[in-house]
Amino acid sequence: EAGVAQSPRYKIIEKRQSVAFWCNPISGHATLYWYQQILGQGPKLLIQFQNNGVVDDSQLPKDRFSAERLKGVDSTLKIQPAKLEDSAVYLCASSLGRFSRNTEAFFGQGTRLTVV
Amino acid sequence: QKEVEQNSGPLSVPEGAIASLNCTYSDRVSQSFFWYRQYSGKSPELIMSIYSNGDKEDGRFTAQLNKASQYVSLLIRDSQPSDSATYLCAVNRKAAGNKLTFGGGTRVLVKP
């Protein structure tokens, strides 16, 4: 079974530029998460989708971050404009979904973003 | 109060010893609990899940859940240098749409 796919693996941009990350979850997984992980900290949930609907985006800085999950499969996370403090690893994870007893979530390899 | 709290460590254990990691959570209605292992520069890897009170064993790992006291722990028996990593506790609240919240992680160092 293929795992969660993310791209790109690394990205370096200048502040005020824009950047987009892509995630393809495990086939059949209805729930998709985007996390931000700053060095030395645990993952912080940015946004959670159930199919193509947003379940939680309470910690997403909506003035600069946006995310979508069209057709309930792939998802993109965008930052525009980027700030230095956005330097982090952006992790995508997926799980079967709220109607399943199994709520285990699996992560992709992440995208390491450096803003200079 | 943080939703999920862990001691950041580092927890230093000699090879062959038992490593004991603890995690507390604030939301009493949390339903599913997970331990992830994260090597430096890598993404989190699921190693244990536990859904009901008591112990769950898988190889050298044992997860313990006490919902009344709102804590979950992880024991690593016969610790190996390859167990050196950061261990993340995660809590899922199904009533909140499967929101999955992580603690800050405990760094474990196993010394040969």
Side-chain angles (χ1 to χ4, degrees):
Chain A
E1 180 184 78
V4 177
Q6 287 189 249
S7 67
R9 290 292 311 279
Y10 305 94
K11 192 75 176 177
I12 300 174
I13 62 172
E14 295 182 350
K15 59 184 179 182
R16 292 187 290 275
Q17 285 188 325
S18 63
V19 65
F21 313 126
W22 174 82
C23 173
N24 181 246
I26 293 172
S27 177
H29 279 196
T31 299
L32 185 147
Y33 307 88
W34 281 104
Y35 288 89
Q36 179 193 60
Q37 188 173 28
I38 293 171
L39 189 64
Q41 299 182 16
K44 169 188 166 186
L45 180 66
L46 293 175
I47 189 167
Q48 177 187 340
F49 293 95
Q50 172 75 15
N51 296 311
N52 61 350
V54 175
V55 174
D56 189 303
D57 63 357
S58 56
Q59 298 192 92
L60 186 74
K62 298 180 185 64
D63 58 333
R64 298 185 300 107
F65 286 64
S66 64
E68 61 182 9
R69 191 183 183 197
L70 299 177
K71 301 181 182 178
V73 182
D74 293 7
S75 178
T76 56
L77 176 69
K78 296 179 182 177
I79 307 175
Q80 182 179 14
K83 293 185 176 181
L84 296 176
E85 58 260 37
D86 298 332
S87 294
V89 176
Y90 290 85
L91 295 164
C92 179
S94 70
S95 68
L96 281 170
R98 64 194 299 181
F99 300 112
S100 170
R101 290 188 63 188
N102 183 336
T103 56
E104 295 177 345
F106 300 93
F107 283 86
Q109 291 182 298
T111 297
R112 183 177 298 277
L113 173 68
T114 302
V115 182
V116 298
Chain B
Q1 183 185 15
K2 290 183 180 179
E3 292 184 60
V4 183
E5 295 206 59
Q6 299 180 252
N7 188 318
S8 62
L11 176 66
S12 184
V13 296
E15 184 175 357
I18 296 175
S20 178
L21 293 77
N22 294 315
C23 169
T24 59
Y25 58 94
S26 60
D27 189 340
R28 186 168 288 278
V29 298
S30 298
Q31 294 170 292
S32 309
F33 307 85
F34 307 95
W35 285 98
Y36 288 80
R37 178 176 61 199
Q38 187 173 30
Y39 292 115
S40 180
K42 302 294 185 183
S43 62
E45 172 194 13
L46 180 66
I47 55 172
M48 289 289 287
S49 58
I50 187 165
Y51 298 92
S52 55
N53 279 329
D55 295 359
K56 179 181 178 182
E57 187 175 318
D58 185 358
R60 295 186 296 111
F61 298 102
T62 299
Q64 300 173 317
L65 174 61
N66 184 323
K67 289 188 177 182
S69 300
Q70 294 177 236
Y71 83 79
V72 56
S73 62
L74 180 70
L75 300 178
I76 308 174
R77 290 183 302 281
D78 187 24
S79 295
Q80 301 297 308
S82 59
D83 295 326
S84 297
T86 295
Y87 290 80
L88 297 162
C89 173
V91 174
N92 179 294
R93 186 167 168 231
K94 201 155 189 174
N98 272 348
K99 182 178 179 180
L100 186 63
T101 304
F102 283 81
T106 298
R107 192 156 70 98
V108 173
L109 296 174
V110 180
K111 297 185 175 181

